[in-house]
Amino acid sequence: MADNKEVKDEKFEQLSEAEQQALLEKYDVESNTRSVSGIFRWVIYFGLLAFSLFQLYTAIFSVFPAQIQRTVHLGFGLTFIFLLFPARRKARKDKIPFYDIILAALAIVVGSYWTINYNRLVQSIGQLETMDFYIGLLAIILVLEGARRAVGLPITIIATLFLAYAYFGQSMPDFLAHRGQDLESISNLMFFSTDGILGTPISVSSTYIFVFLLFGAFLVKTGVGQYFNDLAVALAGKLTGGPAKVAIFSSALQGTISGSSVANVVTSGSYTIPMMKKLGYKKEFAGAVEAAASTGGQLMPPIMGAAAFLMVEFIGRGITYWEIAKAAAIPALLYFTGIWIMTHFEAKRLGLRGLSDEEMPNRKEVLKKIYLLIPILLIIVLMLTGTPVMKAALYGVLACILVGMFNKDTRLGPIDMIDALVDGARTALGVVAATACAGIIVGVVVKTGLGLALANSLVKLAGGSIMLTLFLVMIASLVLGMGAPTTANYVITSTIAAPAILTLLAPNTPMELVPLVTVMSAHFFVFYFGIIADITPPVALAAFAASGISGGDPIKTGVHSAKLAIAAFIIPYMIVLQPALLMVDVTILQIVWVTISAVIGMIGIGAGIIGYWYRKLMWFERIILIAAGLSMIYPETISDIIGLVVLAIMFAIQFIGNKKENGPKAIA
């Protein structure tokens, strides 16, 4: 066991705002924006303010007809994407070229088309005029280009392939073949129906998601982001390997307001990674802890990277937002528990200490600002009591303003509030592009029946085996989720991959008759694997961002982060095989037992993966512990008993052996 290293009393060096922005621009497409001056700066500023005010107006006084609400939302989003996001990542960011001004003008035309022609279009019953046809095609092109700039190439390629599939349906292999769609049908489907670009994803973006993004922007203005770091240090800093546990705690809290794994890494990691390195963690491991924890923030209720709102719409059945948040609670806690366990064993293996008294913040001063969490707690309480989601978010914004008045360091004045409205609208641009582009994918799936065809193919390929089907769906979800933001990857995976699980678990059953818990478990399965694509090599954007802070090797950081997040590779299987984790139609006793057995199982798996428990483990002991841990997690009584007995024996061997080796003090 390594000796504790002397650490200087100097403060841990945190990345500057400029360094954080440079990292975000490198690894987060949504942060790679222009910074222009002159008249265009004010056009963008007041335009984004108008975007937020439009959304607030509809949130307070009820939304416009669906097509108008969604196209205006889309028009605002695309207009400012072309003004803010350059066509190439390395293009000049101090000037807007003429072609982007033209594209922005075309986006205004598309965004206002339904408003101007609403009565005629509603009465035409799908009969398009020539101008309608060209506007529909223009909308598709603008959405694809907007998504490429603001979200990234992967989702654009997937959407383009789906459009090609819709057009060339007759030329596809037998199991994928359909009659094909001509350009007029595609234009009609995508822009003049509510099944394509104007479908469910952008519907959720133009209502719930936007208001919650505003809530997040106001929270940031109150200084809650830095407070999460301070609170995490105050509560976990002195524990064994404290900085790693601070990273886990802080990232879980940041996930309640952040919609991006990469942004979460840069925000909290710029503080926690230097702290971990200074106390003795290797660069790759320090980066991996932050990447794994930050990615888990997207799994954390209440916001879950905005995917919770989409789940409500996609699952249907009258399910409420609160039921989704409640179902996500235990899986999210198990995820962070798994990372906590492994970082604890790693710290014990290396002999790392917690922070000294000199390195700790003043706990009394930190706890005095606990009121900064009131807006988050208020939203949770409001939704628990049945308050509509949009109203809860609006009350949350008001709570932020009130709380900001009591925080002398970040007191909100009128200019701060206007800036928060602008920041919220700017944050929404990537979501608008992602949900509009995802709508293209959903539209093709609905029109062609591709989801069912792929589901049947996967089940057939797996020979009807539930474990093999789940494995294939896992691979598909990881691939589809690579490089896509939370909202987009959930839409894609739930549309393409989730039907395979439902086909296997409820064969030949109409969707409305499939048990709710089965539907929810399928959606959570693909959601989890779509999210952890961010830390799964080779495309592990969160891990790459963390390596930019730690100075470690990106691929090694990705491998370590995937290892630390092993819980995320296990929990989805648990959700499908043991749906009690979702707290749907179960007793308290069932929930308690499933949770306890899962945590005990994670202790065995964590010790086996790290190679340390109370002392260093031999290779065969590691295998035994991992196997016993998996037995505890597998939802069968006999496997739980076997796993518990084996883990108890291994614990006794470890405990007694360590006591004999090092004496009673070593156990502390």
Side-chain angles (χ1 to χ4, degrees):
M1 183 178 290
D3 294 325
N4 286 341
K5 297 178 181 179
E6 291 293 324
V7 179
K8 297 178 182 178
D9 290 337
E10 63 200 51
K11 291 192 174 183
F12 301 111
E13 185 178 346
Q14 186 173 355
L15 292 187
S16 67
E17 286 189 16
E19 290 171 321
Q20 290 182 40
Q21 184 59 33
L23 265 180
L24 281 171
E25 289 182 8
K26 184 175 181 180
Y27 294 108
D28 184 21
V29 177
E30 294 181 36
S31 300
N32 187 39
T33 56
R34 293 185 177 110
S35 178
V36 294
S37 57
I39 189 169
F40 275 111
R41 176 175 179 269
W42 295 109
V43 167
I44 292 170
Y45 184 87
F46 286 110
L48 290 171
L49 177 60
F51 189 11
S52 280
L53 292 176
F54 166 77
Q55 294 292 158
L56 277 178
Y57 177 85
T58 57
I60 296 169
F61 299 106
S62 80
V63 298
F64 293 108
Q67 295 92 335
I68 293 177
Q69 176 78 18
R70 298 171 195 180
T71 48
V72 171
H73 182 77
L74 176 67
F76 267 119
L78 290 177
T79 299
F80 293 108
I81 284 171
F82 292 124
L83 293 178
L84 279 169
F85 290 82
R88 293 176 294 105
R89 289 182 68 86
K90 295 183 180 180
R92 286 182 60 176
K93 295 190 177 69
D94 59 347
K95 183 180 178 182
I96 303 175
F98 74 93
Y99 54 82
D100 278 349
I101 296 173
I102 293 172
L103 288 174
L106 291 174
I108 293 173
V109 172
V110 167
S112 59
Y113 196 77
W114 260 100
T115 304
I116 296 170
N117 298 282
Y118 180 75
N119 289 330
R120 178 180 66 81
L121 290 170
V122 168
Q123 293 168 11
S124 67
I125 317 176
Q127 299 300 313
L128 301 186
E129 295 180 359
T130 303
M131 181 57 72
D132 301 335
F133 167 70
Y134 286 116
I135 288 292
L137 292 183
L138 177 62
I140 294 170
I141 293 167
L142 292 179
V143 165
L144 290 173
E145 174 60 10
R148 184 189 70 81
R149 295 187 186 201
V151 184
L153 201 53
I155 189 174
T156 311
I157 292 173
I158 293 171
T160 304
L161 290 174
F162 270 71
L163 286 170
Y165 171 74
Y167 187 77
F168 294 107
Q170 293 176 327
S171 305
M172 293 290 123
D174 287 344
F175 74 101
L176 291 176
H178 63 93
R179 66 180 183 177
Q181 304 289 317
D182 58 26
L183 289 179
E184 185 173 346
S185 298
I186 291 173
S187 175
N188 192 355
L189 170 69
M190 291 302 159
F191 195 66
F192 296 98
S193 77
T194 52
D195 288 328
I197 292 170
L198 305 183
T200 299
I202 205 164
S203 168
V204 178
S205 173
S206 66
T207 50
Y208 310 125
I209 293 177
F210 194 98
V211 184
F212 267 88
L213 291 174
L214 282 182
F215 170 65
F218 274 87
L219 266 182
V220 170
K221 287 292 181 183
T222 65
V224 75
Q226 181 57 46
Y227 182 68
F228 283 156
N229 287 337
D230 294 340
L231 182 62
V233 174
L235 296 178
K238 291 185 73 68
L239 301 176
T240 301
K245 291 170 181 174
V246 167
I248 297 166
F249 196 178
S250 174
S251 296
L253 292 171
Q254 290 282 0
T256 62
I257 61 172
S258 168
S260 164
S261 302
V262 174
N264 202 349
V265 166
V266 175
T267 302
S268 56
S270 63
Y271 179 74
T272 59
I273 290 175
M275 193 190 303
M276 284 187 271
K277 285 172 60 182
K278 195 163 190 178
L279 290 193
Y281 283 101
K282 292 182 179 178
K283 292 182 288 188
E284 287 79 12
F285 191 85
V289 171
E290 182 57 52
S294 291
T295 300
Q298 304 300 291
L299 309 171
M300 193 73 179
I303 295 179
M304 297 163 58
F309 309 110
L310 287 164
M311 276 193 190
V312 171
E313 299 296 326
F314 274 52
I315 292 175
R317 308 290 189 83
I319 194 171
T320 64
Y321 170 83
W322 177 252
E323 287 176 280
I324 295 293
K326 183 182 73 172
I330 292 178
L333 290 174
L334 288 177
Y335 175 86
F336 284 104
T337 299
I339 301 175
W340 186 287
I341 287 167
M342 281 191 272
T343 53
H344 177 78
F345 287 145
E346 178 73 2
K348 297 290 281 186
R349 185 179 73 84
L350 296 174
L352 301 180
R353 63 172 178 83
L355 299 178
S356 65
D357 291 334
E358 292 76 17
E359 294 160 339
M360 289 284 291
N362 186 314
R363 285 187 177 179
K364 286 185 179 179
E365 291 300 316
V366 171
L367 293 177
K368 277 182 183 178
K369 293 185 178 181
I370 197 74
Y371 61 84
L372 288 173
L373 301 183
I374 288 175
I376 296 174
L377 297 174
L378 175 66
I379 277 189
I380 293 172
V381 171
L382 287 173
M383 289 190 294
L384 179 61
T385 55
T387 304
V389 174
M390 285 177 67
K391 278 192 176 180
L394 288 172
Y395 288 136
V397 170
L398 290 174
C400 289
I401 295 171
L402 293 173
V403 164
M405 293 179 180
F406 294 96
N407 187 1
K408 63 182 180 181
D409 299 325
T410 56
R411 185 168 287 123
L412 294 181
I415 299 300
D416 297 311
M417 287 184 246
I418 293 172
D419 285 344
L421 291 171
V422 172
D423 291 344
R426 185 185 289 258
T427 305
L429 298 181
V431 178
V432 175
T435 50
C437 200
I440 293 176
I441 297 167
V442 175
V444 173
V445 170
V446 170
K447 190 71 174 178
T448 63
L450 177 62
L452 186 59
L454 289 174
N456 289 331
S457 300
L458 275 176
V459 173
K460 186 176 179 181
L461 183 63
S465 163
I466 185 168
M467 293 305 292
L468 187 52
T469 300
L470 291 177
F471 177 77
L472 293 175
V473 172
M474 175 189 78
I475 299 300
S477 299
L478 287 170
V479 172
L480 291 168
M482 287 181 177
T486 304
T487 47
N489 78 42
Y490 168 67
V491 172
I492 296 168
T493 55
S494 63
T495 304
I496 300 172
I501 301 174
L502 295 174
T503 299
L504 182 69
L505 297 181
N508 304 316
T509 305
M511 183 55 64
E512 62 273 11
L513 298 180
V514 177
L516 175 60
V517 70
T518 303
V519 178
M520 289 180 67
S521 63
H523 279 258
F524 270 94
F525 186 92
V526 298
F527 171 61
Y528 259 69
F529 283 117
I531 292 298
I532 59 174
D534 277 350
I535 50 170
T536 306
V539 185
L541 293 180
F544 284 18
S547 69
I549 300 173
S550 70
D553 180 84
I555 296 296
K556 287 181 180 178
T557 302
V559 172
H560 277 301
S561 62
K563 183 175 72 172
L564 284 172
I566 189 66
F569 290 89
I570 296 171
I571 290 168
Y573 288 89
M574 291 176 62
I575 289 172
V576 173
L577 299 174
Q578 182 56 279
L581 282 175
L582 300 179
M583 293 192 280
V584 178
D585 298 330
V586 289
T587 65
I588 294 294
L589 190 60
Q590 285 176 303
I591 294 170
V592 170
W593 173 244
V594 168
T595 305
I596 290 174
S597 63
V599 170
I600 294 172
M602 284 309 305
I603 292 173
I605 292 170
I609 288 175
I610 296 299
Y612 189 91
W613 196 347
Y614 280 102
R615 58 176 175 77
K616 186 176 179 181
L617 294 164
M618 303 293 287
W619 66 268
F620 60 87
E621 291 178 307
R622 296 175 70 171
I623 293 173
I624 291 171
L625 281 171
I626 292 173
L630 290 172
S631 294
M632 286 293 297
I633 286 171
Y634 190 77
E636 292 288 346
T637 303
I638 186 66
S639 65
D640 285 348
I641 294 171
I642 293 171
L644 191 59
V645 169
V646 173
L647 286 173
I649 293 170
M650 291 298 295
F651 171 79
I653 292 171
Q654 282 278 303
F655 188 87
I656 295 168
N658 183 65
K659 194 171 182 179
K660 285 181 178 178
E661 251 179 62
N662 302 301
K665 290 183 180 178
I667 306 302

